[in-house]
Amino acid sequence: MSDPSGIHPSALQLTIDGASVAVAPGTTIFDAARISGIAIPTLCHQQNETPVGVCRICLVEAGGRVLSAACVRPAENGMTVLTGSERVLAARRTLLELMMADHPSPCARQKQSGDCELETMAQRAGVAEPRYPKRPSSRGQDDSSFSIAVDHEACILCDRCIRGCDEIRTNNVLGRRGKGFDAGIAFDLNQPMGNSSCVSCGECMVSCPTGALTNKSVVRAVLPGGVPAEAEDLLAIPAFQKVSGTFLELNKNSVVRRQFKKGEIICREGEYGSTAFYMLEGTVEVFLASPMAHVKTEGGTTGFFHKIASRLAPRRQDHRQDENDRPSIPIDASVDLSYDNPVAQLGPGELFGEMTCMSRYPRSATVRAATDCTVLEMLRNVLDIMLRNKSVKSEIERNYKRRALMDHLRSVPLFAPLTDSFMDSLSEAAKLVRYSAGDVICRQGDIADALYLVRIGFVKVTTSHPGGEMVEAYLGRGSYFGEIGLLRKGARTATVSALDHVDLVRIEADDFRRMMDAFPDVRRELERISMERLLQNRKRAEAGGAVPLSQFLAQGLMEAQSLLVLDLEKCTRCDQCVKACADAHGGTTRLIREGLRFDNFLIATSCRQCRDPLCMVGCPVGAIRRRGSLEVIIEDWCIGCGLCAKNCPYGNINMQPVTVTEQRDGKSVAVVKQKATSCDLCTDHEEPSCVYACPHDAAHRVDPNEFFRRIQG
């Protein structure tokens, strides 16, 4: 039964600034004062938060020789507390002066709204110019996030952002790093905020008492057309849950709602874009409009090598065995397209155009409304935040595992022997991981702990040698890496880094070894391929840098693996090499008898099969690739976007125009398409046709290092 006075019998009685206060056991001095209407200043503590006592601004006299932090000191029966004595005020002024010494004044928050809690408190306490020298932070500003500006110099280590992120929003992105003066807040494993798993919910920014975390108020991104999506409407969509409403309001012109009627084209393959699409209602059809064929040219040549008329040869007339063995074609969506019938459908909740939006690559497929549909079209700043949503990430991962991972594994001949049941278990164990441009995925010399499969984007594989770094390969969607270190149960043999926005499938070492034990044929084939790669890398490393031809280094000749060299003392300019090349490729020549000269040799303009094949970077459908270790070939599903030709520094890839018939608005329309062509070293012959046809032994395909070393004597 309670006491008639209204005070619980177990209540503690204490005096705060002369006022008698009764509180329940376990109540802190700070809360006891707040209940009684007595304000104690603080920077690190907010109502209903776990007290941490790191700022010490809430110091009070509570008996004893030292001052106590009110937010963590429990109230005691009979305690006398002074919150504004001269001793307390002097200590607070010293603490504020120390904080202001390392604080940029005015900070971003003070400039924007004039309510930086630290600067306001310092002004009230009479702290003007600090007596102590400023120590600049080694971290400075972080501008990587689209929505929040980070100024580490303005951070006072109050931990309010950490508690807001972890305890209120349960996103668990923020934490402490370092010790002493080097201590600070960190995102994930000390990444830039924009590269972390932060979803830009804004809780840390709202919690921050200074200008360390502020909203970016200047947003210039505008997506014309459509109906701008209001923040309130977007927050009702699961994909945008936990995103900051302020961020969405500031970026409302970066995401628009579009309506498409059945049969309307949403985007076309080969076109460049900067947006991605998220399905809200209806169904779309994803397909390749470009015919599955290689370029052929009717007629012959006149003069130098004048092309008469190009046409497309269907695969039944001109095909490669490895093309027909491929079950699927990778595209920029959660599904691959069947090689024999490159058409698929996507419905509500599906995302497409991610690679185009994040990395500015051409569209990989044509998308047409299969029914009346509604989509959200968004720029990169909004897509980047949406992809951080844990529910969206898990949905993308589920769709990918359900619809594309099996196809990706099947498209690698190495994994063809795997049974469906084992594939299912492998896909369940696989994890989807994401990297930003420049991130190192694994380093040469690290312990091998996983196999990786590329889902989106491109990675660069390099090895370090005493003479420098060498690019071994560029790998795109459907490629894999990391198997050599796992097979040898040792260290990574190369460094792999992200060239752009990259999604990878990670298969842990234990699952990889389980696969090797269950399928010995796969192990033997993988060991054979791995040994070939190691030998090729070793040969390139031994040959690299052997010839000091500075004038040729600038021309990229040392990057080549195979040069077409003409001996001008033997060459009679008969053009038999050019004609033979045209005959071998259906009338379309793939070399030009012009180029760089060295001594009495001419380096003809023809694909050099570069060690660093820049042409392969960015192909949206993976149609240009390296066969084995040498020949760069272009597959028949090339969509003619022209990116490979633009990327080639030496002009050795040509775009051939061809005319095809398409159905547009219910009518048959003649449309001019393009297909990329380049030298493939006549892989179906014993030696290149241009070399074989030369009647004077003037044309040769050579390794540049060996060739120039020999002629220099």
Side-chain angles (χ1 to χ4, degrees):
M1 181 178 293
S2 63
D3 189 274
S5 64
I7 300 174
H8 196 277
S10 62
L12 303 176
Q13 296 286 340
L14 68 157
T15 301
I16 303 178
D17 291 346
S20 180
V21 179
V23 295
T27 304
T28 64
I29 296 175
F30 183 90
D31 288 336
R34 181 175 53 82
I35 291 170
S36 304
I38 300 172
I40 298 178
T42 182
L43 288 171
C44 70
H45 184 58
Q46 289 182 301
Q47 187 176 348
N48 300 324
E49 279 189 350
T50 303
V52 292
V54 295
C55 77
R56 316 305 283 187
I57 295 297
C58 64
L59 289 174
V60 296
E61 285 193 71
R65 65 182 183 83
V66 297
L67 301 178
S68 301
C71 68
V72 293
R73 175 73 184 270
E76 299 175 6
N77 205 27
M79 177 182 280
T80 298
V81 178
L82 297 177
T83 67
S85 67
E86 184 57 37
R87 183 184 176 199
V88 169
L89 295 178
R92 283 183 190 154
R93 278 195 297 269
T94 301
L95 288 170
L96 289 168
E97 190 174 9
L98 288 168
M99 290 185 189
M100 286 296 294
D102 291 330
H103 182 78
S105 181
C107 65
R109 178 169 175 172
Q110 190 71 9
K111 291 177 182 177
Q112 290 179 12
S113 53
D115 63 345
C116 169
E117 294 180 32
L118 172 61
E119 296 189 46
T120 301
M121 198 176 293
Q123 290 171 4
R124 289 175 180 172
V127 175
E129 191 69 25
R131 293 170 291 170
Y132 310 105
K134 180 176 175 60
R135 299 172 298 174
S137 167
S138 60
R139 303 181 72 193
Q141 296 184 345
D142 175 4
D143 199 43
S144 59
S145 170
F146 286 115
S147 57
I148 298 175
V150 183
D151 186 354
H152 289 284
E153 291 195 9
C155 177
I156 60 173
L157 297 179
C158 64
D159 288 351
R160 277 163 57 171
C161 59
I162 298 175
R163 282 169 285 158
C165 180
D166 298 353
E167 297 176 13
I168 299 175
R169 292 286 188 162
T170 65
N171 286 324
N172 300 308
V173 177
L174 279 164
R176 280 281 197 113
R177 63 167 286 278
K179 295 180 179 180
F181 177 67
D182 291 327
I185 61 167
F187 304 91
D188 290 340
L189 298 177
N190 200 23
Q191 295 177 306
M193 189 183 198
N195 294 351
S196 71
S197 58
C198 171
V199 298
S200 291
C201 68
E203 191 66 43
C204 61
M205 182 182 61
V206 172
S207 302
C208 181
T210 70
L213 295 165
T214 53
N215 213 342
K216 288 188 174 179
S217 57
V218 180
V219 181
R220 298 185 177 89
V222 176
L223 183 59
V227 179
E230 297 295 333
E232 184 178 352
D233 297 332
L234 290 176
L235 290 171
I237 301 172
F240 292 93
Q241 289 177 356
K242 291 190 175 183
V243 176
S244 165
T246 304
F247 167 79
L248 294 176
E249 185 63 34
L250 286 170
N251 289 275
K252 65 180 180 181
N253 290 323
S254 296
V255 54
V256 297
R257 185 185 296 262
R258 295 193 187 280
Q259 307 281 345
F260 291 94
K261 296 292 185 182
K262 180 180 178 180
E264 286 188 307
I265 297 295
I266 298 174
C267 59
R268 294 186 186 277
E269 65 200 55
E271 293 179 348
Y272 283 83
S274 59
T275 60
F277 299 89
Y278 182 77
M279 293 290 300
L280 293 177
E281 300 172 352
T283 305
V284 297
E285 189 177 53
V286 186
F287 61 96
L288 293 186
S290 296
M292 307 284 278
H294 290 291
V295 176
K296 294 291 182 182
T297 302
E298 300 294 348
T301 59
T302 60
F304 188 47
F305 56 94
H306 180 70
K307 296 183 288 291
I308 302 302
S310 296
R311 68 176 181 86
L312 295 176
R315 70 182 76 162
R316 64 178 179 272
Q317 298 178 17
D318 179 51
H319 68 274
R320 299 193 188 104
Q321 186 62 39
D322 52 353
E323 284 179 344
N324 292 337
D325 288 343
R326 187 182 183 98
S328 61
I329 299 170
I331 61 168
D332 186 12
S334 60
V335 61
D336 284 351
L337 299 182
S338 169
Y339 182 80
D340 295 318
N341 182 31
V343 180
Q345 286 195 335
L346 301 175
E350 299 273 17
L351 178 72
F352 59 92
E354 179 183 350
M355 188 169 71
T356 296
C357 182
M358 297 297 287
S359 303
R360 307 295 190 265
Y361 291 142
R363 303 281 185 197
S364 62
T366 298
V367 182
R368 178 172 56 206
T371 65
D372 291 351
C373 61
T374 304
V375 302
L376 290 177
E377 185 177 8
M378 66 195 78
L379 292 170
R380 178 175 178 172
N381 51 342
V382 176
L383 174 64
D384 181 75
I385 297 303
M386 191 189 81
L387 291 177
R388 298 170 191 271
N389 187 317
K390 293 178 181 178
S391 61
V392 174
K393 289 172 66 176
S394 60
E395 182 65 22
I396 290 174
E397 186 168 346
R398 280 195 300 271
N399 288 336
Y400 171 70
K401 288 183 177 181
R402 177 171 55 90
R403 307 179 67 172
L405 180 54
M406 294 279 279
D407 287 338
H408 281 186
L409 291 172
R410 292 290 186 205
S411 68
V412 179
L414 170 71
F415 298 138
L418 302 184
T419 62
D420 289 341
S421 60
F422 190 88
M423 285 277 201
D424 288 337
S425 66
L426 199 61
S427 62
E428 284 299 317
K431 298 177 182 177
L432 208 59
V433 292
R434 174 162 292 164
Y435 295 89
S436 299
D439 288 350
V440 175
I441 299 162
C442 59
R443 293 185 184 277
Q444 186 175 346
D446 287 352
I447 298 299
D449 58 355
L451 175 75
Y452 292 94
L453 184 73
V454 182
R455 186 185 88 86
I456 281 181
F458 289 83
V459 300
K460 180 172 68 172
V461 183
T462 60
T463 53
S464 296
H465 304 280
E469 187 179 79
M470 178 176 291
V471 177
E472 303 294 349
Y474 291 106
L475 303 177
R477 179 165 174 152
S479 303
Y480 64 93
F481 61 90
E483 79 289 353
I484 297 179
L486 291 174
L487 282 173
R488 301 170 72 185
K489 296 182 179 180
R492 298 287 189 193
T493 59
T495 295
V496 183
S497 54
L499 280 179
D500 43 44
H501 166 77
V502 171
D503 275 8
L504 302 175
V505 179
R506 179 184 168 100
I507 299 174
E508 299 294 338
D510 290 343
D511 295 309
F512 176 82
R513 294 187 182 106
R514 183 165 57 91
M515 177 174 66
M516 295 296 97
D517 293 339
F519 299 92
D521 290 344
V522 174
R523 171 184 283 276
R524 283 191 291 270
E525 180 64 13
L526 197 54
E527 287 175 341
R528 183 189 66 79
I529 294 173
S530 300
M531 186 57 67
E532 287 182 357
R533 288 183 178 180
L534 287 173
L535 290 174
Q536 292 156 8
N537 294 348
R538 191 176 304 150
K539 284 182 64 178
R540 285 197 292 267
E542 291 172 353
V547 182
L549 295 176
S550 58
Q551 65 270 40
F552 274 77
L553 289 176
Q555 302 295 340
L557 296 184
M558 293 306 125
E559 289 295 323
Q561 292 192 96
S562 176
L563 292 177
L564 177 58
V565 176
L566 303 179
D567 186 340
L568 298 180
E569 291 185 349
K570 297 180 179 179
C571 177
T572 62
R573 287 64 168 174
C574 64
D575 272 349
Q576 287 299 318
C577 54
V578 176
K579 295 175 182 177
C581 180
D583 291 341
H585 298 97
T588 303
T589 187
R590 300 184 182 187
L591 74 88
I592 299 175
R593 193 175 50 76
E594 289 295 335
L596 301 169
R597 294 174 184 258
F598 178 76
D599 199 12
N600 60 305
F601 296 98
L602 170 70
I603 312 300
T605 301
S606 181
C607 181
R608 301 173 178 182
Q609 316 296 335
C610 295
R611 289 183 172 85
D612 187 357
L614 298 175
C615 57
M616 294 171 60
V617 178
C619 178
V621 292
I624 182 167
R625 65 182 179 87
R626 171 170 279 161
R627 172 185 279 173
S629 64
L630 191 63
E631 310 90 6
V632 175
I633 59 175
I634 300 173
E635 306 287 14
D636 62 358
W637 62 83
C638 164
I639 61 173
C641 67
L643 184 60
C644 56
K646 293 179 182 177
N647 285 346
C648 177
Y650 316 116
N652 291 332
I653 295 181
N654 301 312
M655 301 304 299
Q656 295 294 327
V658 292
T659 302
V660 298
T661 301
E662 285 188 3
Q663 293 294 319
R664 296 193 177 182
D665 299 327
K667 299 179 181 178
S668 296
V669 180
V671 179
V672 176
K673 295 277 188 180
Q674 294 186 119
K675 289 278 189 176
T677 61
S678 90
C679 174
D680 58 2
L681 296 183
C682 295
T683 52
D684 297 330
H685 300 79
E686 292 184 4
E687 65 177 325
S689 299
C690 54
V691 175
Y692 179 80
C694 180
H696 309 293
D697 193 33
H700 298 276
R701 275 279 178 182
V702 301
D703 178 279
N705 288 283
E706 295 179 1
F707 178 75
F708 290 115
R709 186 189 305 120
R710 186 175 70 251
I711 65 173
Q712 282 192 320

